[in-house]
Amino acid sequence: MSDNTFCEDVRAGKVLDVRIMMKDSLLLDPSFAEFSKMEKIARSMPGLYDEHDGSAFITDRSLWNDDYMNELMVQILDNFSRERIAHLKEVVRYLHPSEKEVPASSNFPLSTDTPSNSSGNDSSRSYQAQKKQDQYSGRYQGKKIGTGVVVGAVVGGTVAYAVGTAVAVGVAVGAVAGGVVAVASQKR
């Protein structure tokens, strides 16, 4: 985000453009520092926030995935409520933890052995714990490619919207570019 562009859009009352930039910042900066900065700048902008439309959120984290996060990213443009933003942040934080949020004392097993199922734990919980540990340590490669594609698509779509070209083309080009960058960075 260009600080000047964002500030100009706030001054001009371009609610949709401001919402798009704020929404995109949630993926681009999972520490949410950029979002907080943008929120301070736009806090007095008329019409920025909506009352929550009453729709329920999925609270079962085992059902949270990139498809659900993308659905929330679309919904937030039509209902930019504080409740929806808080839930979206929680989903982003869960799916794409920020390095700044890694807990000092991890709740995850230190052993890299395959978890035993003899203790009565179901295997999905063990998988989720291992996945989370791998995400924190940087060993989980699958999400990096997916994240590259998602971030690329969001940025490409936003740029296409901003310059007035076909958003679908911008999303497709951004997704391909994001995937290529993610794959290339994995090979290093």
Side-chain angles (χ1 to χ4, degrees):
M1 167 201 84
S2 163
D3 283 342
N4 291 338
T5 302
F6 184 77
C7 291
E8 289 170 12
D9 285 350
V10 169
R11 278 192 296 276
K14 296 181 176 180
V15 173
L16 181 60
D17 292 351
V18 169
R19 287 179 176 182
I20 289 170
M21 286 186 262
M22 289 177 74
K23 167 195 67 92
D24 289 350
S25 77
L26 295 174
L27 265 184
L28 298 173
D29 174 23
S31 74
F32 309 132
E34 187 72 17
F35 184 88
S36 295
K37 178 181 169 186
M38 296 167 96
E39 194 170 39
K40 286 178 185 171
I41 294 169
R43 71 176 148 223
S44 62
M45 183 179 192
L48 179 61
Y49 292 102
D50 296 321
E51 291 293 320
H52 185 61
D53 62 8
S55 63
F57 302 124
I58 296 173
T59 57
D60 181 352
R61 290 177 179 221
S62 70
L63 299 175
W64 291 357
N65 56 32
D66 282 340
D67 290 336
Y68 178 61
M69 181 184 68
N70 291 337
E71 183 180 320
L72 290 172
M73 288 284 190
V74 171
Q75 292 172 353
I76 203 161
L77 293 178
D78 290 328
N79 184 237
F80 204 77
S81 67
R82 295 184 190 280
E83 295 87 350
R84 190 173 302 280
I85 292 167
H87 180 67
L88 179 57
K89 284 180 174 181
E90 191 177 351
V91 171
V92 170
R93 188 177 294 120
Y94 178 77
L95 294 175
H96 306 284
S98 169
E99 300 246 342
K100 295 177 184 176
E101 295 175 356
V102 176
S105 62
S106 177
N107 294 331
F108 304 110
L110 297 176
S111 169
T112 57
D113 298 337
T114 305
S116 167
N117 209 13
S118 61
S119 65
N121 293 340
D122 70 334
S123 60
S124 66
R125 180 163 293 171
S126 297
Y127 167 77
Q128 289 298 330
Q130 183 65 48
K131 176 180 167 184
K132 198 63 119 173
Q133 181 182 13
D134 289 346
Q135 286 174 327
Y136 283 136
S137 69
R139 291 188 309 246
Y140 188 72
Q141 299 299 315
K143 282 290 187 207
K144 292 181 181 178
I145 294 171
T147 300
V149 170
V150 170
V151 170
V154 168
V155 172
T158 302
V159 170
Y161 175 80
V163 298
T165 61
V167 173
V169 173
V171 168
V173 170
V176 170
V180 168
V181 169
V183 169
S185 67
Q186 275 188 337
K187 292 182 179 181
R188 291 183 199 186

Short mmCIF file of all heavy atoms in Angstrom, two decimals, residues 74-132:
data_model
loop_
_atom_site.label_atom_id
_atom_site.label_comp_id
_atom_site.label_asym_id
_atom_site.label_seq_id
_atom_site.Cartn_x
_atom_site.Cartn_y
_atom_site.Cartn_z
N VAL A 74 -14.28 -11.92 0.75
CA VAL A 74 -15.28 -11.37 -0.17
C VAL A 74 -16.41 -10.72 0.63
O VAL A 74 -16.84 -9.60 0.33
CB VAL A 74 -15.83 -12.48 -1.09
CG1 VAL A 74 -17.03 -11.99 -1.89
CG2 VAL A 74 -14.73 -12.98 -2.03
N GLN A 75 -16.88 -11.42 1.67
CA GLN A 75 -18.01 -10.92 2.47
C GLN A 75 -17.69 -9.60 3.17
O GLN A 75 -18.57 -8.77 3.34
CB GLN A 75 -18.41 -11.95 3.52
CG GLN A 75 -19.02 -13.20 2.95
CD GLN A 75 -19.21 -14.28 4.00
OE1 GLN A 75 -18.78 -14.16 5.14
NE2 GLN A 75 -19.87 -15.36 3.60
N ILE A 76 -16.42 -9.41 3.53
CA ILE A 76 -16.07 -8.22 4.31
C ILE A 76 -16.25 -6.93 3.52
O ILE A 76 -16.48 -5.87 4.09
CB ILE A 76 -14.65 -8.33 4.90
CG1 ILE A 76 -14.53 -7.43 6.12
CG2 ILE A 76 -13.58 -8.03 3.86
CD1 ILE A 76 -13.40 -7.77 7.02
N LEU A 77 -16.19 -7.02 2.20
CA LEU A 77 -16.37 -5.81 1.40
C LEU A 77 -17.82 -5.32 1.45
O LEU A 77 -18.08 -4.12 1.40
CB LEU A 77 -15.94 -6.04 -0.05
CG LEU A 77 -14.45 -6.28 -0.24
CD1 LEU A 77 -14.14 -6.56 -1.69
CD2 LEU A 77 -13.63 -5.12 0.29
N ASP A 78 -18.77 -6.25 1.57
CA ASP A 78 -20.18 -5.88 1.65
C ASP A 78 -20.64 -5.62 3.08
O ASP A 78 -21.64 -4.93 3.28
CB ASP A 78 -21.06 -6.98 1.04
CG ASP A 78 -20.90 -7.04 -0.46
OD1 ASP A 78 -20.66 -5.99 -1.09
OD2 ASP A 78 -21.01 -8.15 -1.02
N ASN A 79 -19.95 -6.20 4.05
CA ASN A 79 -20.32 -6.00 5.45
C ASN A 79 -19.04 -5.81 6.26
O ASN A 79 -18.52 -6.75 6.85
CB ASN A 79 -21.15 -7.16 5.99
CG ASN A 79 -21.63 -6.92 7.41
OD1 ASN A 79 -21.35 -7.70 8.31
ND2 ASN A 79 -22.35 -5.84 7.64
N PHE A 80 -18.52 -4.60 6.24
CA PHE A 80 -17.26 -4.25 6.90
C PHE A 80 -17.56 -3.93 8.35
O PHE A 80 -17.47 -2.79 8.79
CB PHE A 80 -16.64 -3.06 6.18
CG PHE A 80 -15.15 -2.93 6.35
CD1 PHE A 80 -14.28 -3.74 5.65
CD2 PHE A 80 -14.61 -1.97 7.19
CE1 PHE A 80 -12.91 -3.61 5.79
CE2 PHE A 80 -13.23 -1.83 7.35
CZ PHE A 80 -12.38 -2.66 6.64
N SER A 81 -17.94 -4.97 9.09
CA SER A 81 -18.29 -4.79 10.50
C SER A 81 -17.09 -5.13 11.37
O SER A 81 -16.23 -5.92 10.99
CB SER A 81 -19.47 -5.67 10.88
OG SER A 81 -19.11 -7.04 10.84
N ARG A 82 -17.06 -4.55 12.54
CA ARG A 82 -15.97 -4.83 13.48
C ARG A 82 -15.96 -6.31 13.88
O ARG A 82 -14.89 -6.89 14.05
CB ARG A 82 -16.08 -3.93 14.70
CG ARG A 82 -15.87 -2.46 14.34
CD ARG A 82 -15.87 -1.55 15.55
NE ARG A 82 -15.90 -0.15 15.18
CZ ARG A 82 -14.85 0.56 14.79
NH1 ARG A 82 -13.69 0.00 14.70
NH2 ARG A 82 -14.98 1.83 14.48
N GLU A 83 -17.15 -6.91 13.98
CA GLU A 83 -17.23 -8.33 14.32
C GLU A 83 -16.62 -9.19 13.21
O GLU A 83 -15.87 -10.13 13.48
CB GLU A 83 -18.69 -8.77 14.54
CG GLU A 83 -19.36 -8.12 15.73
CD GLU A 83 -20.00 -6.75 15.43
OE1 GLU A 83 -19.78 -6.19 14.33
OE2 GLU A 83 -20.71 -6.25 16.32
N ARG A 84 -16.93 -8.87 11.97
CA ARG A 84 -16.40 -9.65 10.84
C ARG A 84 -14.89 -9.46 10.73
O ARG A 84 -14.15 -10.40 10.45
CB ARG A 84 -17.10 -9.23 9.54
CG ARG A 84 -16.79 -10.14 8.38
CD ARG A 84 -17.63 -9.80 7.15
NE ARG A 84 -19.05 -9.87 7.38
CZ ARG A 84 -19.76 -11.00 7.40
NH1 ARG A 84 -19.16 -12.15 7.21
NH2 ARG A 84 -21.06 -10.97 7.62
N ILE A 85 -14.41 -8.24 10.96
CA ILE A 85 -12.97 -7.98 10.91
C ILE A 85 -12.26 -8.79 12.00
O ILE A 85 -11.24 -9.43 11.73
CB ILE A 85 -12.68 -6.47 11.06
CG1 ILE A 85 -13.17 -5.71 9.84
CG2 ILE A 85 -11.18 -6.24 11.29
CD1 ILE A 85 -13.22 -4.21 10.02
N ALA A 86 -12.81 -8.78 13.21
CA ALA A 86 -12.20 -9.53 14.31
C ALA A 86 -12.15 -11.02 13.99
O ALA A 86 -11.13 -11.69 14.24
CB ALA A 86 -12.96 -9.28 15.61
N HIS A 87 -13.23 -11.56 13.42
CA HIS A 87 -13.25 -12.98 13.08
C HIS A 87 -12.26 -13.28 11.95
O HIS A 87 -11.53 -14.28 12.01
CB HIS A 87 -14.66 -13.41 12.68
CG HIS A 87 -14.75 -14.86 12.33
ND1 HIS A 87 -14.57 -15.86 13.26
CD2 HIS A 87 -14.99 -15.48 11.15
CE1 HIS A 87 -14.69 -17.04 12.68
NE2 HIS A 87 -14.94 -16.83 11.39
N LEU A 88 -12.23 -12.42 10.95
CA LEU A 88 -11.29 -12.63 9.85
C LEU A 88 -9.85 -12.61 10.35
O LEU A 88 -9.02 -13.42 9.94
CB LEU A 88 -11.51 -11.57 8.77
CG LEU A 88 -10.58 -11.64 7.55
CD1 LEU A 88 -10.66 -13.01 6.87
CD2 LEU A 88 -10.94 -10.55 6.55
N LYS A 89 -9.53 -11.69 11.25
CA LYS A 89 -8.19 -11.65 11.83
C LYS A 89 -7.87 -12.96 12.54
O LYS A 89 -6.75 -13.49 12.43
CB LYS A 89 -8.06 -10.49 12.83
CG LYS A 89 -7.91 -9.13 12.20
CD LYS A 89 -7.79 -8.09 13.31
CE LYS A 89 -7.50 -6.72 12.81
NZ LYS A 89 -7.37 -5.75 13.92
N GLU A 90 -8.84 -13.48 13.26
CA GLU A 90 -8.64 -14.73 13.99
C GLU A 90 -8.36 -15.89 13.00
O GLU A 90 -7.48 -16.71 13.23
CB GLU A 90 -9.88 -15.03 14.83
CG GLU A 90 -9.71 -16.14 15.83
CD GLU A 90 -10.94 -16.34 16.70
OE1 GLU A 90 -11.89 -15.52 16.66
OE2 GLU A 90 -10.95 -17.35 17.42
N VAL A 91 -9.10 -15.93 11.90
CA VAL A 91 -8.92 -16.97 10.89
C VAL A 91 -7.55 -16.82 10.23
O VAL A 91 -6.81 -17.80 10.06
CB VAL A 91 -10.06 -16.95 9.85
CG1 VAL A 91 -9.77 -17.87 8.69
CG2 VAL A 91 -11.39 -17.31 10.51
N VAL A 92 -7.19 -15.60 9.84
CA VAL A 92 -5.88 -15.37 9.22
C VAL A 92 -4.76 -15.75 10.18
O VAL A 92 -3.80 -16.42 9.79
CB VAL A 92 -5.74 -13.89 8.76
CG1 VAL A 92 -4.30 -13.58 8.35
CG2 VAL A 92 -6.69 -13.58 7.62
N ARG A 93 -4.89 -15.35 11.42
CA ARG A 93 -3.88 -15.66 12.44
C ARG A 93 -3.72 -17.17 12.60
O ARG A 93 -2.63 -17.68 12.76
CB ARG A 93 -4.26 -15.01 13.76
CG ARG A 93 -3.21 -15.10 14.84
CD ARG A 93 -3.63 -14.37 16.12
NE ARG A 93 -3.73 -12.94 15.90
CZ ARG A 93 -4.84 -12.22 16.06
NH1 ARG A 93 -5.96 -12.78 16.44
NH2 ARG A 93 -4.83 -10.92 15.84
N TYR A 94 -4.83 -17.89 12.53
CA TYR A 94 -4.81 -19.35 12.69
C TYR A 94 -4.18 -20.03 11.46
O TYR A 94 -3.35 -20.92 11.59
CB TYR A 94 -6.23 -19.88 12.90
CG TYR A 94 -6.31 -21.38 13.01
CD1 TYR A 94 -5.94 -22.02 14.19
CD2 TYR A 94 -6.76 -22.15 11.95
CE1 TYR A 94 -6.02 -23.40 14.30
CE2 TYR A 94 -6.84 -23.53 12.06
CZ TYR A 94 -6.47 -24.15 13.23
OH TYR A 94 -6.53 -25.52 13.33
N LEU A 95 -4.60 -19.60 10.26
CA LEU A 95 -4.11 -20.24 9.03
C LEU A 95 -2.71 -19.80 8.63
O LEU A 95 -1.97 -20.57 8.02
CB LEU A 95 -5.08 -19.97 7.88
CG LEU A 95 -6.47 -20.58 8.01
CD1 LEU A 95 -7.36 -20.13 6.86
CD2 LEU A 95 -6.41 -22.10 8.08
N HIS A 96 -2.37 -18.57 8.94
CA HIS A 96 -1.08 -17.99 8.52
C HIS A 96 -0.45 -17.27 9.71
O HIS A 96 -0.39 -16.04 9.72
CB HIS A 96 -1.28 -17.03 7.35
CG HIS A 96 -2.00 -17.64 6.20
ND1 HIS A 96 -1.42 -18.51 5.33
CD2 HIS A 96 -3.30 -17.53 5.81
CE1 HIS A 96 -2.31 -18.90 4.43
NE2 HIS A 96 -3.46 -18.32 4.70
N PRO A 97 0.02 -18.01 10.70
CA PRO A 97 0.57 -17.35 11.90
C PRO A 97 1.77 -16.48 11.56
O PRO A 97 2.62 -16.85 10.75
CB PRO A 97 0.96 -18.51 12.81
CG PRO A 97 0.94 -19.73 11.97
CD PRO A 97 0.14 -19.45 10.75
N SER A 98 1.81 -15.33 12.19
CA SER A 98 2.91 -14.39 12.01
C SER A 98 4.09 -14.85 12.85
O SER A 98 3.92 -15.35 13.96
CB SER A 98 2.47 -13.00 12.45
OG SER A 98 3.56 -12.12 12.52
N GLU A 99 5.29 -14.65 12.35
CA GLU A 99 6.50 -15.01 13.10
C GLU A 99 6.52 -14.27 14.44
O GLU A 99 7.02 -14.77 15.42
CB GLU A 99 7.75 -14.65 12.31
CG GLU A 99 7.83 -15.35 10.98
CD GLU A 99 8.98 -16.32 10.92
OE1 GLU A 99 9.88 -16.22 11.75
OE2 GLU A 99 8.95 -17.19 10.04
N LYS A 100 5.94 -13.08 14.50
CA LYS A 100 5.93 -12.29 15.72
C LYS A 100 5.01 -12.90 16.77
O LYS A 100 5.08 -12.56 17.93
CB LYS A 100 5.46 -10.86 15.42
CG LYS A 100 6.41 -10.10 14.54
CD LYS A 100 5.86 -8.74 14.21
CE LYS A 100 6.76 -8.01 13.24
NZ LYS A 100 6.21 -6.73 12.84
N GLU A 101 4.10 -13.80 16.34
CA GLU A 101 3.13 -14.36 17.26
C GLU A 101 3.52 -15.74 17.77
O GLU A 101 2.74 -16.39 18.43
CB GLU A 101 1.77 -14.45 16.57
CG GLU A 101 1.21 -13.09 16.24
CD GLU A 101 -0.07 -13.19 15.46
OE1 GLU A 101 -0.49 -14.30 15.10
OE2 GLU A 101 -0.65 -12.15 15.18
N VAL A 102 4.71 -16.23 17.43
CA VAL A 102 5.12 -17.54 17.90
C VAL A 102 5.28 -17.47 19.42
O VAL A 102 6.00 -16.63 19.94
CB VAL A 102 6.46 -17.97 17.25
CG1 VAL A 102 6.93 -19.28 17.83
CG2 VAL A 102 6.31 -18.07 15.75
N PRO A 103 4.56 -18.33 20.14
CA PRO A 103 4.63 -18.26 21.60
C PRO A 103 6.01 -18.62 22.12
O PRO A 103 6.70 -19.46 21.55
CB PRO A 103 3.59 -19.29 22.05
CG PRO A 103 3.33 -20.16 20.88
CD PRO A 103 3.70 -19.37 19.65
N ALA A 104 6.41 -17.96 23.21
CA ALA A 104 7.73 -18.22 23.81
C ALA A 104 7.83 -19.66 24.27
O ALA A 104 8.83 -20.31 24.07
CB ALA A 104 7.96 -17.26 24.97
N SER A 105 6.80 -20.16 24.91
CA SER A 105 6.80 -21.57 25.30
C SER A 105 5.74 -22.27 24.47
O SER A 105 4.56 -22.07 24.65
CB SER A 105 6.50 -21.72 26.78
OG SER A 105 5.21 -21.22 27.06
N SER A 106 6.19 -23.06 23.51
CA SER A 106 5.29 -23.69 22.57
C SER A 106 4.46 -24.78 23.24
O SER A 106 4.93 -25.49 24.10
CB SER A 106 6.11 -24.30 21.43
OG SER A 106 5.25 -24.97 20.54
N ASN A 107 3.21 -24.90 22.83
CA ASN A 107 2.33 -25.95 23.32
C ASN A 107 2.47 -27.22 22.51
O ASN A 107 1.74 -28.17 22.72
CB ASN A 107 0.86 -25.49 23.24
CG ASN A 107 0.59 -24.35 24.16
OD1 ASN A 107 1.24 -24.22 25.19
ND2 ASN A 107 -0.36 -23.50 23.79
N PHE A 108 3.37 -27.22 21.55
CA PHE A 108 3.47 -28.35 20.65
C PHE A 108 4.58 -29.28 21.07
O PHE A 108 5.58 -28.86 21.66
CB PHE A 108 3.69 -27.84 19.22
CG PHE A 108 2.62 -26.90 18.80
CD1 PHE A 108 2.88 -25.55 18.64
CD2 PHE A 108 1.33 -27.35 18.62
CE1 PHE A 108 1.87 -24.69 18.28
CE2 PHE A 108 0.32 -26.48 18.25
CZ PHE A 108 0.59 -25.15 18.08
N PRO A 109 4.43 -30.59 20.76
CA PRO A 109 5.45 -31.55 21.15
C PRO A 109 6.78 -31.24 20.48
O PRO A 109 6.81 -30.79 19.34
CB PRO A 109 4.88 -32.89 20.66
CG PRO A 109 3.84 -32.55 19.66
CD PRO A 109 3.34 -31.18 20.00
N LEU A 110 7.85 -31.44 21.21
CA LEU A 110 9.17 -31.18 20.67
C LEU A 110 9.66 -32.34 19.82
O LEU A 110 10.53 -32.18 18.99
CB LEU A 110 10.17 -30.92 21.81
CG LEU A 110 9.86 -29.68 22.63
CD1 LEU A 110 10.85 -29.56 23.79
CD2 LEU A 110 9.92 -28.43 21.76
N SER A 111 9.12 -33.51 20.03
CA SER A 111 9.54 -34.69 19.29
C SER A 111 9.06 -34.60 17.85
O SER A 111 7.95 -34.15 17.59
CB SER A 111 8.97 -35.94 19.95
OG SER A 111 9.15 -37.06 19.12
N THR A 112 9.88 -35.07 16.92
CA THR A 112 9.46 -35.12 15.52
C THR A 112 8.99 -36.52 15.17
O THR A 112 8.72 -36.81 14.01
CB THR A 112 10.62 -34.72 14.58
OG1 THR A 112 11.72 -35.58 14.85
CG2 THR A 112 10.98 -33.28 14.76
N ASP A 113 8.88 -37.40 16.17
CA ASP A 113 8.37 -38.74 15.94
C ASP A 113 6.90 -38.65 15.55
O ASP A 113 6.19 -37.72 15.89
CB ASP A 113 8.49 -39.61 17.19
CG ASP A 113 9.94 -39.79 17.61
OD1 ASP A 113 10.82 -39.63 16.75
OD2 ASP A 113 10.18 -40.08 18.80
N THR A 114 6.42 -39.68 14.87
CA THR A 114 5.01 -39.75 14.51
C THR A 114 4.20 -39.88 15.79
O THR A 114 4.51 -40.72 16.63
CB THR A 114 4.75 -40.96 13.60
OG1 THR A 114 5.62 -40.87 12.48
CG2 THR A 114 3.31 -41.00 13.15
N PRO A 115 3.18 -39.06 15.96
CA PRO A 115 2.40 -39.11 17.19
C PRO A 115 1.72 -40.47 17.34
O PRO A 115 1.21 -41.03 16.38
CB PRO A 115 1.36 -38.01 17.03
CG PRO A 115 1.75 -37.22 15.84
CD PRO A 115 2.72 -38.04 15.05
N SER A 116 1.68 -40.95 18.55
CA SER A 116 1.03 -42.22 18.83
C SER A 116 -0.44 -41.98 19.06
O SER A 116 -0.83 -40.99 19.66
CB SER A 116 1.67 -42.85 20.07
OG SER A 116 0.87 -43.92 20.52
N ASN A 117 -1.24 -42.89 18.60
CA ASN A 117 -2.67 -42.78 18.79
C ASN A 117 -3.15 -43.62 19.97
O ASN A 117 -4.32 -43.71 20.23
CB ASN A 117 -3.40 -43.20 17.50
CG ASN A 117 -4.72 -42.50 17.34
OD1 ASN A 117 -4.99 -41.53 18.04
ND2 ASN A 117 -5.54 -42.99 16.44
N SER A 118 -2.22 -44.23 20.68
CA SER A 118 -2.59 -45.12 21.77
C SER A 118 -3.13 -44.38 22.98
O SER A 118 -3.77 -44.97 23.83
CB SER A 118 -1.37 -45.96 22.18
OG SER A 118 -0.35 -45.09 22.65
N SER A 119 -2.91 -43.10 23.06
CA SER A 119 -3.38 -42.34 24.23
C SER A 119 -4.84 -41.95 24.11
O SER A 119 -5.37 -41.29 24.98
CB SER A 119 -2.52 -41.09 24.41
OG SER A 119 -2.71 -40.23 23.31
N GLY A 120 -5.47 -42.32 22.99
CA GLY A 120 -6.88 -41.98 22.81
C GLY A 120 -7.08 -40.69 22.05
O GLY A 120 -8.20 -40.32 21.77
N ASN A 121 -6.01 -39.97 21.72
CA ASN A 121 -6.15 -38.74 20.94
C ASN A 121 -6.55 -39.12 19.53
O ASN A 121 -6.05 -40.09 18.98
CB ASN A 121 -4.83 -37.97 20.88
CG ASN A 121 -4.43 -37.42 22.23
OD1 ASN A 121 -5.26 -37.29 23.11
ND2 ASN A 121 -3.16 -37.13 22.39
N ASP A 122 -7.42 -38.33 18.92
CA ASP A 122 -7.75 -38.66 17.53
C ASP A 122 -6.64 -38.13 16.63
O ASP A 122 -5.96 -37.17 16.93
CB ASP A 122 -9.13 -38.10 17.15
CG ASP A 122 -9.17 -36.61 17.06
OD1 ASP A 122 -8.36 -35.93 17.73
OD2 ASP A 122 -10.02 -36.10 16.31
N SER A 123 -6.45 -38.80 15.51
CA SER A 123 -5.30 -38.49 14.66
C SER A 123 -5.39 -37.10 14.04
O SER A 123 -4.37 -36.49 13.76
CB SER A 123 -5.16 -39.54 13.56
OG SER A 123 -6.33 -39.57 12.77
N SER A 124 -6.60 -36.56 13.84
CA SER A 124 -6.70 -35.22 13.26
C SER A 124 -6.13 -34.17 14.20
O SER A 124 -5.52 -33.21 13.77
CB SER A 124 -8.15 -34.90 12.90
OG SER A 124 -8.93 -34.81 14.06
N ARG A 125 -6.31 -34.34 15.48
CA ARG A 125 -5.75 -33.39 16.44
C ARG A 125 -4.22 -33.47 16.40
O ARG A 125 -3.54 -32.48 16.43
CB ARG A 125 -6.27 -33.66 17.84
CG ARG A 125 -5.69 -32.65 18.83
CD ARG A 125 -6.44 -32.62 20.09
NE ARG A 125 -7.76 -32.07 19.79
CZ ARG A 125 -8.75 -32.06 20.64
NH1 ARG A 125 -8.61 -32.55 21.84
NH2 ARG A 125 -9.92 -31.55 20.32
N SER A 126 -3.66 -34.67 16.36
CA SER A 126 -2.22 -34.84 16.29
C SER A 126 -1.68 -34.22 15.01
O SER A 126 -0.64 -33.57 15.02
CB SER A 126 -1.84 -36.31 16.35
OG SER A 126 -2.26 -36.86 17.57
N TYR A 127 -2.39 -34.43 13.91
CA TYR A 127 -1.98 -33.84 12.65
C TYR A 127 -1.98 -32.32 12.75
O TYR A 127 -1.04 -31.65 12.32
CB TYR A 127 -2.90 -34.29 11.51
CG TYR A 127 -2.71 -33.48 10.25
CD1 TYR A 127 -1.61 -33.69 9.43
CD2 TYR A 127 -3.60 -32.47 9.92
CE1 TYR A 127 -1.41 -32.93 8.29
CE2 TYR A 127 -3.41 -31.70 8.79
CZ TYR A 127 -2.32 -31.93 7.98
OH TYR A 127 -2.12 -31.17 6.87
N GLN A 128 -3.07 -31.76 13.31
CA GLN A 128 -3.16 -30.31 13.43
C GLN A 128 -2.04 -29.75 14.29
O GLN A 128 -1.47 -28.70 13.98
CB GLN A 128 -4.53 -29.91 14.00
CG GLN A 128 -5.68 -30.11 13.04
CD GLN A 128 -5.56 -29.28 11.78
OE1 GLN A 128 -4.99 -28.20 11.78
NE2 GLN A 128 -6.09 -29.79 10.69
N ALA A 129 -1.72 -30.46 15.40
CA ALA A 129 -0.65 -29.99 16.28
C ALA A 129 0.69 -30.03 15.54
O ALA A 129 1.48 -29.08 15.63
CB ALA A 129 -0.58 -30.85 17.54
N GLN A 130 0.93 -31.09 14.80
CA GLN A 130 2.19 -31.20 14.04
C GLN A 130 2.24 -30.14 12.94
O GLN A 130 3.27 -29.51 12.72
CB GLN A 130 2.34 -32.60 13.44
CG GLN A 130 3.66 -32.80 12.72
CD GLN A 130 4.85 -32.72 13.65
OE1 GLN A 130 4.85 -33.33 14.70
NE2 GLN A 130 5.86 -31.95 13.28
N LYS A 131 1.13 -29.94 12.27
CA LYS A 131 1.07 -28.93 11.22
C LYS A 131 1.38 -27.55 11.78
O LYS A 131 2.16 -26.79 11.21
CB LYS A 131 -0.33 -28.95 10.58
CG LYS A 131 -0.55 -27.89 9.52
CD LYS A 131 -1.97 -28.02 8.98
CE LYS A 131 -2.37 -26.82 8.17
NZ LYS A 131 -3.76 -26.89 7.73
N LYS A 132 0.78 -27.23 12.93
CA LYS A 132 1.00 -25.93 13.56
C LYS A 132 2.47 -25.77 13.95
O LYS A 132 3.07 -24.72 13.74
CB LYS A 132 0.09 -25.81 14.79
CG LYS A 132 -0.08 -24.41 15.26
CD LYS A 132 -0.76 -23.57 14.25
CE LYS A 132 -2.05 -23.03 14.75
NZ LYS A 132 -2.61 -22.08 13.82
#
